[in-house]
Amino acid sequence: MFSAKTFLFLTFVLTIIVAINSTCPESCDDPEDPVCITMIDGTKKQFKNACEFVVETCTKNIFEVLDAEEGPCPEI
């Protein structure tokens, strides 16, 4: 699981990117390092890495994230 400090930092970065550029990053060159996101409704979504999580949440205006964990989502 990300530490609260890391999760808040990612949220802060996303907010700054949108505020400064009024646009979202389009892609990532980061290596594969899976991130599992839990939404407020309990559903989980896996991203290739934290950068792709930031890109998708920014471009789709997703703010219903409850938790983020390093690593792939467990099989349901």
Side-chain angles (χ1 to χ4, degrees):
M1 182 179 302
F2 284 123
S3 68
K5 186 176 181 180
T6 301
F7 188 70
L8 289 174
F9 176 75
L10 288 173
T11 304
F12 176 74
V13 168
L14 174 62
T15 303
I16 295 299
I17 289 169
V18 173
I20 292 174
N21 298 322
S22 295
T23 60
C24 300
E26 294 181 12
S27 64
C28 302
D29 293 330
D30 294 352
E32 189 163 335
D33 188 15
V35 176
C36 181
I37 305 301
T38 304
M39 307 304 281
I40 290 174
D41 66 3
T43 60
K44 293 186 181 288
K45 181 163 186 176
Q46 184 172 308
F47 293 89
K48 178 181 174 186
N49 54 45
C51 179
E52 287 194 356
F53 161 66
V54 170
V55 169
E56 184 160 331
T57 55
C58 180
T59 58
K60 295 183 178 179
N61 293 320
I62 299 171
F63 299 105
E64 301 89 20
V65 176
L66 179 65
D67 191 21
E69 298 178 33
E70 295 175 317
C73 293
E75 296 294 324
I76 297 176

